[in-house]
Amino acid sequence: MKKGQLGFLAGTHAVNDLYQGAIPAMLPFLMSERHYSYAAVSGLAFAASGVSSLFQPLFGILSDRKPRTWLVPAGFITAALGVVAAGLSGNYTATWLCIALAGIGIAAYHPPATSQARAAGGSSQKAMSIFSVGGTVGGSIAPSLVTLVIGSAGFNGSYLLATPALVMLFLWALKGPWMHWRGYVEATPLVTGASAESAADKPRRSDDWRAFARLVVVIIGWSIPFVTVTSLVSLHAQRDLGQSTAAGAAALTSYTAAGAVGTLLGGWVGDRYGRMTSVRIGYLLALPALVGIAWAPTFPVLVASTVLFGAAMFLPFAAQVTLAQDYLPNRPGTASGLTLGLAMAAGGLCSPAFGWLADSSGLRAAFYALLLVFIIPVVMAMRLPDHVPDSPDGQSTEPLKAENAESAQ
């Protein structure tokens, strides 16, 4: 494990996903100052998550053909530009387009950065969880940063939100000379289309598209409640439980912060007990937590349920990323793009529907409908097959500890 490279990539992930988290944090301010409806703000959630997710597989295919490390800084700078422009824009159409631009930047970042993180961390679930938690930390900081900037300076101060991206861009520019001076060698990316031809003489596992398709369905079911709760939980605290804008932002922050804890815990559980254990425990705990969010009669109950839901939803996160890459060992960028991108598009696509339901029947009705949808991925997650990475000589290792023990007998 190349800890220095992994830590730096986790830092870039924090900056990138800070802008992903900034968008839902801006929604209550947009509703109060620009008088947008639930359906309108859900449409903005689609511009962020849906548009980003549709573009992400394209960037994944590009990163498989040839390593394009420049997409990492280009991605988080574009995301920052879109968020700042959305805050400064004056009408809904311009705001939607700016948020869509931010979503494209977020999409450009993820496939190449995830492939680099897997190369730096190897097969360790803990390593992938460290990279993943960088994004979760960034998302958890976003509501407080947005509340501080927009709450005090208004949307005219949105340009201040670009500061984290500019600082990270400066550090990225220094990274190459610093690594060269210290004699460090960057981790070799996973097999790509270009390197696959040069390694044709080595035995490799074939891509398991069937298992990958099942995982995509599970992640689609994961993304719908993830995006919807992210978009509506702060509004739920304000509109249904009579809390302030700051309290709503605190609920959203607790959700994303709990996700960071869940991501790290999932990596530890995956390395110690097998990644399928983290997948199954996460989905089984998330289901009653979502019930608590929908039912919550008081703000403390909502926060407690939100914290449990955030932690449970991110327990399987690192495992789902490495599973996708192991289902498609010859196309890691495509696997990352499809699972983190196209599958996540479902959350953005469905978000307006839940917004319309909230407009017509209330937020609680939207959350209960969300609960019914979530049952499907919970059931399917229990039946996902496991794969482990190939050994250094190119031969596939045995997939499960239990199977290893059984074969030894």
Side-chain angles (χ1 to χ4, degrees):
M1 182 190 302
K2 297 194 174 184
K3 295 181 180 180
Q5 293 181 37
L6 191 64
F8 185 79
L9 285 168
T12 65
H13 200 184
V15 171
N16 185 77
D17 284 18
L18 182 149
Y19 296 105
Q20 190 171 29
I23 294 168
M26 292 171 68
L27 298 183
F29 293 100
L30 291 171
M31 289 192 72
S32 61
E33 295 193 22
R34 300 181 185 175
H35 309 293
Y36 293 159
S37 66
Y38 288 129
V41 297
S42 296
L44 295 177
F46 165 72
S49 299
V51 172
S52 172
S53 300
L54 292 172
F55 273 86
Q56 212 162 135
L58 301 178
F59 289 111
I61 293 170
L62 286 175
S63 64
D64 275 342
R65 291 178 177 175
K66 180 182 178 181
R68 291 174 169 85
T69 56
W70 58 269
L71 280 174
V72 175
F76 62 71
I77 284 294
T78 302
L81 176 63
V83 167
V84 170
L88 298 175
S89 64
N91 60 72
Y92 183 81
T93 300
T95 301
W96 194 98
L97 291 173
C98 291
I99 288 180
L101 176 65
I104 293 172
I106 292 165
Y109 168 88
H110 278 112
T114 303
S115 293
Q116 289 181 52
R118 184 68 188 274
S123 61
S124 171
Q125 302 301 302
K126 181 180 178 181
M128 184 55 70
S129 72
I130 290 171
F131 170 72
S132 300
V133 83
T136 310
V137 168
S140 68
I141 295 172
S144 298
L145 180 62
V146 169
T147 301
L148 176 65
V149 171
I150 297 179
S152 59
F155 281 109
N156 289 333
S158 296
Y159 66 91
L160 295 171
L161 296 174
T163 303
L166 294 176
V167 171
M168 183 53 68
L169 181 64
F170 175 73
L171 295 176
W172 182 274
L174 294 180
K175 178 177 73 82
W178 183 84
M179 288 181 66
H180 179 74
W181 176 64
R182 295 296 299 270
Y184 293 157
V185 177
E186 192 163 359
T188 304
L190 299 177
V191 176
T192 64
S195 62
E197 294 178 2
S198 62
D201 56 329
K202 295 182 180 180
R204 294 178 286 113
R205 284 193 296 110
S206 60
D207 295 328
D208 189 348
W209 286 99
R210 179 183 233 177
F212 180 76
R214 292 169 65 180
L215 176 63
V216 168
V217 173
V218 170
I219 297 177
I220 286 173
W222 180 94
S223 72
I224 294 172
F226 168 71
V227 173
T228 304
V229 170
T230 301
S231 301
L232 299 180
V233 69
S234 61
L235 297 173
H236 185 29
Q238 295 173 52
R239 302 297 173 89
D240 294 337
L241 301 178
Q243 300 299 309
S244 64
T245 301
L252 183 58
T253 300
S254 68
Y255 174 50
T256 51
V261 175
T263 303
L264 289 175
L265 182 59
W268 178 82
V269 170
D271 279 345
R272 187 172 181 85
Y273 301 105
R275 59 186 167 187
M276 297 313 300
T277 301
S278 62
V279 170
R280 289 162 185 157
I281 291 175
Y283 279 94
L284 289 175
L285 286 177
L287 193 62
L290 186 55
V291 174
I293 292 174
W295 166 77
T298 62
F299 185 64
V301 173
L302 175 64
V303 172
S305 300
T306 301
V307 166
L308 178 59
F309 186 69
M313 286 291 278
F314 280 89
L315 271 174
F317 192 81
Q320 289 177 163
V321 174
T322 59
L323 272 173
Q325 292 174 335
D326 291 342
Y327 289 159
L328 302 183
N330 306 308
R331 296 173 175 82
T334 301
S336 300
L338 287 171
T339 52
L340 297 176
L342 188 58
M344 285 294 291
L349 288 169
C350 293
S351 186
F354 288 100
W356 292 325
L357 181 59
D359 280 333
S360 60
S361 304
L363 284 164
R364 291 189 189 276
F367 282 120
Y368 279 118
L370 191 63
L371 180 63
L372 296 177
V373 172
F374 190 50
I375 292 173
I376 297 172
V378 171
V379 173
M380 291 191 66
M382 302 301 109
R383 301 176 59 83
L384 283 174
D386 193 14
H387 288 265
V388 296
D390 294 343
S391 61
D393 63 359
Q395 298 294 336
S396 178
T397 55
E398 293 179 69
L400 292 170
K401 291 181 180 180
E403 292 180 1
N404 289 339
E406 184 178 349
S407 62
Q409 295 173 357

